[in-house]
Amino acid sequence: MAIKYDYEAIVIGSGFGGSINTCRLANKWPGKVMLLERGKRYPMGSFPRKPHDMANNFWNIVREGRNRPENVGSKESHGMFDIRLFDHIDALVCAGLGGGSLIYANVFLQPPDEVFDERWPETCKKEVLQPYYKVAKSVLGARPIPQNDDPRRKIIRTELFKEFAEHDGHDSELVDINVFFGNDFDNPLDIGVQQKNRYGAVQTSCVYCAECDVGCNTHSKNTVDLNYLFVAEKTHGAKIQTEVLAEKIIPLNAQGDEDPSASGEYGYKVVWLDLNNGKIECTAITRRVVVSAGTLGSNELLMRCRDVHKTLPNISRNLGKYFSGNGDFLSFILEGEKPADPNYGPVITQKTDYNLFNNFDKERAFVMEDASYPNFAAWYVEGTANLF
């Protein structure tokens, strides 16, 4: 009996990996690709800003019984910020159509060659990945902040970081950021002017509000829902389902029956929960599955299939081992000698290299970048400054 497939591919997760895979697969099989995303869609202007809404903008499914902060753990919530607490590390990840692109700091930065050591497979070496970096940079519109005579383009902290770097004997340079300043890089749109991007989605030339990391309400941030996913859905007919939670992946045998011992040659059944409809189980049959639910989400789903549901028993026991955080450190300076206007401009504009790209030294290598934060956060910072 021939197996009747609902889809050629089902993609789980809509961040950078999931969005690119969805777009490429949907281009190959128009109308036969589905994307499952646990979080919400965020149209322009829909990211929470009121204090009460921000306080409830967290992700929590009570039945999962996760280790959560007390004020989050008892409430069912499909908000954007997903806090994970572990014994030796805590993490903040994002739930929403666009995944981590909704809250990341916009920087497009390739790793130095030395990162791709013997631990990387030959198929993932720098020279193999280089053409894909080039494509991603183009699609995401990565470029430095515009430099022209418009006084509104002046970002004080960028200049201060440059001065500091020179004083410390280092060079500071503008970084490529995935922020919309119009489609013509040489002639940026005026601040606040709207225009359709190259893919047809309406965006706003960056308004310098410093709200990049809490969701860009003007859609000035080049999040993947405005390029890769927009094309996948609008041009190639991909079906995108939001507020659905992937639960199980089950291999099928030649007869189309569920068979945990099957290799996947005959496809899979995917089971998910509809979070807005009583968490009822929904299923679909597909030839292939792409698991791209982020580092934590992908490991969790695959481990649950292996160890709880027993549907993927042959997944390697090395899954999830040798894990490392991405090594970001945040520092705040109060009462500096010069005003930095930290609530203006894209969240990051420049980098200063310390033994990472030049004079590589594995034990001492890092990059220092500037940072901004929203005006509403500044009220808290200024209000508490005299308490410490």
Side-chain angles (χ1 to χ4, degrees):
M1 180 183 69
I3 300 174
K4 183 179 180 181
Y5 296 98
D6 300 303
Y7 298 97
E8 286 289 336
I10 291 179
V11 180
I12 301 171
S14 67
F16 289 104
S19 65
I20 293 172
N21 273 285
T22 300
C23 190
R24 292 172 69 93
L25 291 167
N27 182 37
K28 185 172 184 178
W29 294 296
K32 298 297 291 181
V33 174
M34 181 168 67
L35 170 69
L36 302 178
E37 165 56 49
R38 62 178 178 151
K40 304 174 183 177
R41 289 180 183 260
Y42 286 95
M44 187 180 292
S46 64
F47 291 102
R49 286 296 181 269
K50 297 177 182 178
H52 179 268
D53 293 339
M54 287 292 287
N56 289 284
N57 192 25
F58 292 90
W59 177 268
N60 188 56
I61 305 297
V62 175
R63 68 189 287 270
E64 293 180 335
R66 298 184 190 276
N67 180 20
R68 299 289 199 198
E70 184 176 349
N71 64 318
V72 175
S74 61
K75 295 186 290 188
E76 189 85 8
S77 174
H78 304 163
M80 187 165 62
F81 300 112
D82 182 358
I83 300 174
R84 305 291 186 98
L85 305 178
F86 302 98
D87 289 341
H88 302 292
I89 188 173
D90 298 331
L92 173 64
V93 296
C94 185
L97 187 65
S101 77
L102 299 176
I103 64 170
Y104 80 125
N106 311 320
V107 176
F108 189 97
L109 189 64
Q110 292 189 31
D113 296 343
E114 289 83 0
V115 167
F116 296 88
D117 58 20
E118 70 282 352
R119 294 171 294 180
W120 288 72
E122 290 300 319
T123 55
C124 295
K125 294 292 189 180
K126 182 72 171 287
E127 60 271 16
V128 177
L129 295 175
Q130 197 61 52
Y132 302 102
Y133 278 119
K134 184 178 180 179
V135 171
K137 181 177 181 179
S138 174
V139 174
L140 294 171
R143 54 157 300 168
I145 53 172
Q147 303 291 288
N148 57 31
D149 295 332
D150 185 345
R152 296 177 301 167
R153 299 285 188 193
K154 180 178 180 180
I155 301 177
I156 295 174
R157 60 186 158 86
T158 304
E159 299 177 354
L160 291 178
F161 266 76
K162 181 177 177 61
E163 292 176 10
F164 173 82
E166 292 174 350
H167 178 76
D168 200 38
H170 290 78
D171 292 326
S172 171
E173 62 179 3
L174 298 177
V175 289
D176 290 325
I177 56 176
N178 303 327
V179 174
F180 188 72
F181 300 100
N183 294 308
D184 186 346
F185 283 12
D186 296 325
N187 298 288
L189 285 178
D190 285 343
I191 291 173
V193 174
Q194 291 188 340
Q195 182 184 63
K196 285 187 177 180
N197 65 20
R198 291 175 293 163
Y199 311 103
V202 176
Q203 295 191 249
T204 308
S205 182
C206 181
V207 299
Y208 288 55
C209 67
E211 296 181 3
C212 308
D213 288 346
V214 291
C216 180
N217 266 330
T218 58
H219 277 186
S220 304
K221 185 186 181 83
N222 292 337
T223 51
V224 294
D225 56 322
L226 301 175
N227 37 71
Y228 282 109
L229 292 176
F230 190 90
V231 172
E233 185 175 35
K234 304 297 185 182
T235 303
H236 303 312
K239 182 177 182 179
I240 296 178
Q241 297 217 50
T242 55
E243 294 188 77
V244 294
L245 185 63
E247 182 72 8
K248 281 187 287 188
I249 303 169
I250 311 165
L252 304 177
N253 59 26
Q255 289 72 46
D257 298 323
E258 298 180 14
D259 185 352
S261 67
S263 66
E265 177 184 358
Y266 301 103
Y268 300 87
K269 175 186 282 188
V270 177
V271 181
W272 67 91
L273 306 178
D274 185 339
L275 298 179
N276 285 328
N277 193 17
K279 297 187 178 65
I280 62 170
E281 281 195 358
C282 305
T283 64
I285 304 299
T286 180
R287 291 184 184 273
R288 52 191 62 79
V289 179
V290 177
V291 180
S292 53
T295 300
L296 299 183
S298 295
N299 277 275
E300 176 188 349
L301 175 59
L302 293 173
M303 287 179 176
R304 189 164 64 239
C305 289
R306 183 189 66 191
D307 302 333
V308 178
H309 301 307
K310 313 293 185 182
T311 59
L312 296 174
N314 297 322
I315 288 179
S316 171
R317 290 288 159 181
N318 285 322
L319 179 69
K321 293 184 177 180
Y322 305 106
F323 173 80
S324 173
N326 66 4
D328 285 353
F329 292 88
L330 295 176
S331 296
F332 297 90
I333 298 174
L334 300 177
E335 300 182 4
E337 293 182 359
K338 298 180 179 179
D341 196 10
N343 316 121
Y344 188 74
V347 65
I348 289 174
T349 63
Q350 68 83 52
K351 70 176 177 69
T352 305
D353 178 58
Y354 287 83
N355 305 106
L356 183 63
F357 293 96
N358 296 311
N359 304 315
F360 181 78
D361 184 342
K362 182 178 180 180
E363 301 300 321
R364 301 188 301 144
F366 67 95
V367 166
M368 184 171 69
E369 299 170 333
D370 61 321
S372 64
Y373 55 93
N375 269 322
F376 57 78
W379 285 95
Y380 174 80
V381 172
E382 290 295 333
T384 57
N386 295 326
L387 300 179
F388 303 101

PDB file of all heavy atoms in Angstrom, residues 7-9 20-33 231-232 235-238 287-288:
ATOM      1  N   TYR A   7       2.727  15.952   3.696  1.00  0.00           N
ATOM      2  CA  TYR A   7       3.748  16.942   3.359  1.00  0.00           C
ATOM      3  C   TYR A   7       5.035  16.252   2.916  1.00  0.00           C
ATOM      4  O   TYR A   7       5.315  15.130   3.330  1.00  0.00           O
ATOM      5  CB  TYR A   7       4.052  17.845   4.574  1.00  0.00           C
ATOM      6  CG  TYR A   7       2.860  18.648   5.021  1.00  0.00           C
ATOM      7  CD1 TYR A   7       2.062  18.202   6.070  1.00  0.00           C
ATOM      8  CD2 TYR A   7       2.529  19.838   4.392  1.00  0.00           C
ATOM      9  CE1 TYR A   7       0.946  18.931   6.477  1.00  0.00           C
ATOM     10  CE2 TYR A   7       1.427  20.574   4.790  1.00  0.00           C
ATOM     11  CZ  TYR A   7       0.637  20.114   5.825  1.00  0.00           C
ATOM     12  OH  TYR A   7      -0.456  20.831   6.209  1.00  0.00           O
ATOM     13  N   GLU A   8       5.777  16.948   2.099  1.00  0.00           N
ATOM     14  CA  GLU A   8       7.120  16.485   1.751  1.00  0.00           C
ATOM     15  C   GLU A   8       8.070  16.720   2.913  1.00  0.00           C
ATOM     16  O   GLU A   8       9.010  15.957   3.119  1.00  0.00           O
ATOM     17  CB  GLU A   8       7.629  17.209   0.500  1.00  0.00           C
ATOM     18  CG  GLU A   8       6.983  16.761  -0.793  1.00  0.00           C
ATOM     19  CD  GLU A   8       7.427  15.373  -1.209  1.00  0.00           C
ATOM     20  OE1 GLU A   8       8.513  14.941  -0.800  1.00  0.00           O
ATOM     21  OE2 GLU A   8       6.674  14.715  -1.962  1.00  0.00           O
ATOM     22  N   ALA A   9       7.839  17.785   3.661  1.00  0.00           N
ATOM     23  CA  ALA A   9       8.710  18.098   4.801  1.00  0.00           C
ATOM     24  C   ALA A   9       7.936  18.865   5.851  1.00  0.00           C
ATOM     25  O   ALA A   9       7.082  19.697   5.531  1.00  0.00           O
ATOM     26  CB  ALA A   9       9.918  18.914   4.340  1.00  0.00           C
ATOM     27  N   ILE A  20      15.320  29.243   7.183  1.00  0.00           N
ATOM     28  CA  ILE A  20      16.063  28.993   5.943  1.00  0.00           C
ATOM     29  C   ILE A  20      15.648  27.657   5.346  1.00  0.00           C
ATOM     30  O   ILE A  20      15.402  27.541   4.137  1.00  0.00           O
ATOM     31  CB  ILE A  20      17.581  29.047   6.201  1.00  0.00           C
ATOM     32  CG1 ILE A  20      17.997  30.480   6.571  1.00  0.00           C
ATOM     33  CG2 ILE A  20      18.355  28.564   4.984  1.00  0.00           C
ATOM     34  CD1 ILE A  20      19.432  30.612   7.020  1.00  0.00           C
ATOM     35  N   ASN A  21      15.550  26.630   6.184  1.00  0.00           N
ATOM     36  CA  ASN A  21      15.136  25.327   5.690  1.00  0.00           C
ATOM     37  C   ASN A  21      13.720  25.371   5.129  1.00  0.00           C
ATOM     38  O   ASN A  21      13.427  24.778   4.082  1.00  0.00           O
ATOM     39  CB  ASN A  21      15.225  24.288   6.809  1.00  0.00           C
ATOM     40  CG  ASN A  21      16.601  23.670   6.913  1.00  0.00           C
ATOM     41  OD1 ASN A  21      16.985  22.844   6.092  1.00  0.00           O
ATOM     42  ND2 ASN A  21      17.350  24.070   7.928  1.00  0.00           N
ATOM     43  N   THR A  22      12.817  26.067   5.819  1.00  0.00           N
ATOM     44  CA  THR A  22      11.442  26.167   5.336  1.00  0.00           C
ATOM     45  C   THR A  22      11.391  26.832   3.971  1.00  0.00           C
ATOM     46  O   THR A  22      10.698  26.373   3.054  1.00  0.00           O
ATOM     47  CB  THR A  22      10.573  26.960   6.329  1.00  0.00           C
ATOM     48  OG1 THR A  22      10.572  26.290   7.593  1.00  0.00           O
ATOM     49  CG2 THR A  22       9.143  27.088   5.835  1.00  0.00           C
ATOM     50  N   CYS A  23      12.148  27.899   3.793  1.00  0.00           N
ATOM     51  CA  CYS A  23      12.143  28.628   2.530  1.00  0.00           C
ATOM     52  C   CYS A  23      12.711  27.772   1.402  1.00  0.00           C
ATOM     53  O   CYS A  23      12.126  27.691   0.308  1.00  0.00           O
ATOM     54  CB  CYS A  23      12.937  29.918   2.676  1.00  0.00           C
ATOM     55  SG  CYS A  23      12.767  31.053   1.286  1.00  0.00           S
ATOM     56  N   ARG A  24      13.817  27.121   1.649  1.00  0.00           N
ATOM     57  CA  ARG A  24      14.460  26.313   0.600  1.00  0.00           C
ATOM     58  C   ARG A  24      13.610  25.088   0.250  1.00  0.00           C
ATOM     59  O   ARG A  24      13.464  24.725  -0.928  1.00  0.00           O
ATOM     60  CB  ARG A  24      15.861  25.903   1.049  1.00  0.00           C
ATOM     61  CG  ARG A  24      16.828  27.072   1.153  1.00  0.00           C
ATOM     62  CD  ARG A  24      18.139  26.659   1.794  1.00  0.00           C
ATOM     63  NE  ARG A  24      18.906  25.766   0.940  1.00  0.00           N
ATOM     64  CZ  ARG A  24      19.843  26.149   0.065  1.00  0.00           C
ATOM     65  NH1 ARG A  24      20.098  27.446  -0.087  1.00  0.00           N
ATOM     66  NH2 ARG A  24      20.521  25.280  -0.651  1.00  0.00           N
ATOM     67  N   LEU A  25      13.060  24.439   1.269  1.00  0.00           N
ATOM     68  CA  LEU A  25      12.226  23.262   1.015  1.00  0.00           C
ATOM     69  C   LEU A  25      10.930  23.635   0.299  1.00  0.00           C
ATOM     70  O   LEU A  25      10.467  22.930  -0.600  1.00  0.00           O
ATOM     71  CB  LEU A  25      11.928  22.546   2.323  1.00  0.00           C
ATOM     72  CG  LEU A  25      13.123  21.848   2.996  1.00  0.00           C
ATOM     73  CD1 LEU A  25      12.768  21.452   4.432  1.00  0.00           C
ATOM     74  CD2 LEU A  25      13.561  20.623   2.202  1.00  0.00           C
ATOM     75  N   ALA A  26      10.323  24.756   0.714  1.00  0.00           N
ATOM     76  CA  ALA A  26       9.088  25.191   0.075  1.00  0.00           C
ATOM     77  C   ALA A  26       9.324  25.620  -1.365  1.00  0.00           C
ATOM     78  O   ALA A  26       8.439  25.489  -2.221  1.00  0.00           O
ATOM     79  CB  ALA A  26       8.460  26.336   0.868  1.00  0.00           C
ATOM     80  N   ASN A  27      10.500  26.131  -1.634  1.00  0.00           N
ATOM     81  CA  ASN A  27      10.860  26.468  -3.010  1.00  0.00           C
ATOM     82  C   ASN A  27      10.937  25.205  -3.869  1.00  0.00           C
ATOM     83  O   ASN A  27      10.528  25.193  -5.033  1.00  0.00           O
ATOM     84  CB  ASN A  27      12.195  27.203  -3.031  1.00  0.00           C
ATOM     85  CG  ASN A  27      12.603  27.636  -4.426  1.00  0.00           C
ATOM     86  OD1 ASN A  27      11.767  28.031  -5.234  1.00  0.00           O
ATOM     87  ND2 ASN A  27      13.887  27.561  -4.724  1.00  0.00           N
ATOM     88  N   LYS A  28      11.422  24.121  -3.278  1.00  0.00           N
ATOM     89  CA  LYS A  28      11.530  22.852  -4.001  1.00  0.00           C
ATOM     90  C   LYS A  28      10.186  22.155  -4.115  1.00  0.00           C
ATOM     91  O   LYS A  28       9.872  21.551  -5.154  1.00  0.00           O
ATOM     92  CB  LYS A  28      12.530  21.940  -3.291  1.00  0.00           C
ATOM     93  CG  LYS A  28      12.810  20.647  -4.030  1.00  0.00           C
ATOM     94  CD  LYS A  28      13.946  19.876  -3.395  1.00  0.00           C
ATOM     95  CE  LYS A  28      14.271  18.622  -4.212  1.00  0.00           C
ATOM     96  NZ  LYS A  28      15.427  17.867  -3.639  1.00  0.00           N
ATOM     97  N   TRP A  29       9.367  22.223  -3.047  1.00  0.00           N
ATOM     98  CA  TRP A  29       8.060  21.560  -3.042  1.00  0.00           C
ATOM     99  C   TRP A  29       6.969  22.568  -2.650  1.00  0.00           C
ATOM    100  O   TRP A  29       6.481  22.566  -1.508  1.00  0.00           O
ATOM    101  CB  TRP A  29       8.058  20.385  -2.058  1.00  0.00           C
ATOM    102  CG  TRP A  29       8.978  19.266  -2.446  1.00  0.00           C
ATOM    103  CD1 TRP A  29       8.886  18.471  -3.551  1.00  0.00           C
ATOM    104  CD2 TRP A  29      10.121  18.807  -1.712  1.00  0.00           C
ATOM    105  NE1 TRP A  29       9.898  17.541  -3.549  1.00  0.00           N
ATOM    106  CE2 TRP A  29      10.672  17.714  -2.436  1.00  0.00           C
ATOM    107  CE3 TRP A  29      10.722  19.190  -0.520  1.00  0.00           C
ATOM    108  CZ2 TRP A  29      11.792  17.030  -2.010  1.00  0.00           C
ATOM    109  CZ3 TRP A  29      11.845  18.510  -0.092  1.00  0.00           C
ATOM    110  CH2 TRP A  29      12.373  17.451  -0.838  1.00  0.00           C
ATOM    111  N   PRO A  30       6.581  23.446  -3.545  1.00  0.00           N
ATOM    112  CA  PRO A  30       5.579  24.468  -3.210  1.00  0.00           C
ATOM    113  C   PRO A  30       4.285  23.846  -2.693  1.00  0.00           C
ATOM    114  O   PRO A  30       3.763  22.881  -3.259  1.00  0.00           O
ATOM    115  CB  PRO A  30       5.340  25.164  -4.566  1.00  0.00           C
ATOM    116  CG  PRO A  30       6.592  24.933  -5.342  1.00  0.00           C
ATOM    117  CD  PRO A  30       7.049  23.564  -4.948  1.00  0.00           C
ATOM    118  N   GLY A  31       3.799  24.398  -1.586  1.00  0.00           N
ATOM    119  CA  GLY A  31       2.547  23.936  -1.000  1.00  0.00           C
ATOM    120  C   GLY A  31       2.627  22.619  -0.269  1.00  0.00           C
ATOM    121  O   GLY A  31       1.603  22.133   0.237  1.00  0.00           O
ATOM    122  N   LYS A  32       3.819  22.039  -0.166  1.00  0.00           N
ATOM    123  CA  LYS A  32       3.956  20.722   0.458  1.00  0.00           C
ATOM    124  C   LYS A  32       4.913  20.743   1.646  1.00  0.00           C
ATOM    125  O   LYS A  32       5.500  19.731   2.013  1.00  0.00           O
ATOM    126  CB  LYS A  32       4.444  19.697  -0.580  1.00  0.00           C
ATOM    127  CG  LYS A  32       3.491  19.483  -1.752  1.00  0.00           C
ATOM    128  CD  LYS A  32       2.152  18.919  -1.304  1.00  0.00           C
ATOM    129  CE  LYS A  32       2.271  17.492  -0.813  1.00  0.00           C
ATOM    130  NZ  LYS A  32       0.943  16.943  -0.406  1.00  0.00           N
ATOM    131  N   VAL A  33       5.074  21.918   2.248  1.00  0.00           N
ATOM    132  CA  VAL A  33       5.956  22.060   3.418  1.00  0.00           C
ATOM    133  C   VAL A  33       5.171  22.740   4.532  1.00  0.00           C
ATOM    134  O   VAL A  33       4.426  23.698   4.280  1.00  0.00           O
ATOM    135  CB  VAL A  33       7.218  22.882   3.072  1.00  0.00           C
ATOM    136  CG1 VAL A  33       8.056  23.147   4.313  1.00  0.00           C
ATOM    137  CG2 VAL A  33       8.048  22.160   2.011  1.00  0.00           C
ATOM    138  N   VAL A 231       8.862  34.852   2.332  1.00  0.00           N
ATOM    139  CA  VAL A 231       8.936  34.262   0.996  1.00  0.00           C
ATOM    140  C   VAL A 231       8.390  32.842   1.005  1.00  0.00           C
ATOM    141  O   VAL A 231       7.650  32.433   0.098  1.00  0.00           O
ATOM    142  CB  VAL A 231      10.390  34.283   0.485  1.00  0.00           C
ATOM    143  CG1 VAL A 231      10.518  33.493  -0.817  1.00  0.00           C
ATOM    144  CG2 VAL A 231      10.865  35.715   0.278  1.00  0.00           C
ATOM    145  N   ALA A 232       8.745  32.072   2.040  1.00  0.00           N
ATOM    146  CA  ALA A 232       8.276  30.690   2.125  1.00  0.00           C
ATOM    147  C   ALA A 232       6.755  30.620   2.105  1.00  0.00           C
ATOM    148  O   ALA A 232       6.162  29.783   1.412  1.00  0.00           O
ATOM    149  CB  ALA A 232       8.822  30.031   3.392  1.00  0.00           C
ATOM    150  N   THR A 235       5.224  33.306  -1.201  1.00  0.00           N
ATOM    151  CA  THR A 235       5.623  32.958  -2.566  1.00  0.00           C
ATOM    152  C   THR A 235       5.529  31.464  -2.847  1.00  0.00           C
ATOM    153  O   THR A 235       5.057  31.052  -3.911  1.00  0.00           O
ATOM    154  CB  THR A 235       7.060  33.446  -2.843  1.00  0.00           C
ATOM    155  OG1 THR A 235       7.135  34.855  -2.611  1.00  0.00           O
ATOM    156  CG2 THR A 235       7.471  33.144  -4.276  1.00  0.00           C
ATOM    157  N   HIS A 236       5.946  30.658  -1.877  1.00  0.00           N
ATOM    158  CA  HIS A 236       6.047  29.215  -2.117  1.00  0.00           C
ATOM    159  C   HIS A 236       4.954  28.397  -1.429  1.00  0.00           C
ATOM    160  O   HIS A 236       4.965  27.173  -1.509  1.00  0.00           O
ATOM    161  CB  HIS A 236       7.416  28.705  -1.674  1.00  0.00           C
ATOM    162  CG  HIS A 236       8.567  29.406  -2.348  1.00  0.00           C
ATOM    163  ND1 HIS A 236       8.615  29.599  -3.707  1.00  0.00           N
ATOM    164  CD2 HIS A 236       9.706  29.955  -1.834  1.00  0.00           C
ATOM    165  CE1 HIS A 236       9.737  30.242  -4.014  1.00  0.00           C
ATOM    166  NE2 HIS A 236      10.409  30.474  -2.899  1.00  0.00           N
ATOM    167  N   GLY A 237       4.035  29.056  -0.750  1.00  0.00           N
ATOM    168  CA  GLY A 237       2.876  28.358  -0.207  1.00  0.00           C
ATOM    169  C   GLY A 237       3.131  27.467   0.986  1.00  0.00           C
ATOM    170  O   GLY A 237       2.357  26.529   1.239  1.00  0.00           O
ATOM    171  N   ALA A 238       4.198  27.737   1.737  1.00  0.00           N
ATOM    172  CA  ALA A 238       4.423  26.954   2.959  1.00  0.00           C
ATOM    173  C   ALA A 238       3.297  27.215   3.956  1.00  0.00           C
ATOM    174  O   ALA A 238       2.812  28.344   4.082  1.00  0.00           O
ATOM    175  CB  ALA A 238       5.769  27.325   3.585  1.00  0.00           C
ATOM    176  N   ARG A 287       7.410  12.966   4.565  1.00  0.00           N
ATOM    177  CA  ARG A 287       8.565  12.183   4.116  1.00  0.00           C
ATOM    178  C   ARG A 287       9.815  12.491   4.938  1.00  0.00           C
ATOM    179  O   ARG A 287      10.685  11.644   5.095  1.00  0.00           O
ATOM    180  CB  ARG A 287       8.852  12.463   2.637  1.00  0.00           C
ATOM    181  CG  ARG A 287       7.797  11.930   1.682  1.00  0.00           C
ATOM    182  CD  ARG A 287       8.228  12.161   0.240  1.00  0.00           C
ATOM    183  NE  ARG A 287       7.191  11.731  -0.699  1.00  0.00           N
ATOM    184  CZ  ARG A 287       7.072  10.492  -1.172  1.00  0.00           C
ATOM    185  NH1 ARG A 287       7.915   9.553  -0.777  1.00  0.00           N
ATOM    186  NH2 ARG A 287       6.104  10.191  -2.030  1.00  0.00           N
ATOM    187  N   ARG A 288       9.908  13.696   5.431  1.00  0.00           N
ATOM    188  CA  ARG A 288      11.126  14.103   6.150  1.00  0.00           C
ATOM    189  C   ARG A 288      10.773  15.139   7.205  1.00  0.00           C
ATOM    190  O   ARG A 288       9.791  15.867   7.059  1.00  0.00           O
ATOM    191  CB  ARG A 288      12.177  14.659   5.184  1.00  0.00           C
ATOM    192  CG  ARG A 288      11.655  15.745   4.295  1.00  0.00           C
ATOM    193  CD  ARG A 288      12.604  16.118   3.161  1.00  0.00           C
ATOM    194  NE  ARG A 288      12.870  15.033   2.242  1.00  0.00           N
ATOM    195  CZ  ARG A 288      12.046  14.639   1.267  1.00  0.00           C
ATOM    196  NH1 ARG A 288      10.866  15.249   1.107  1.00  0.00           N
ATOM    197  NH2 ARG A 288      12.365  13.660   0.458  1.00  0.00           N
TER     198      ARG A 288
END
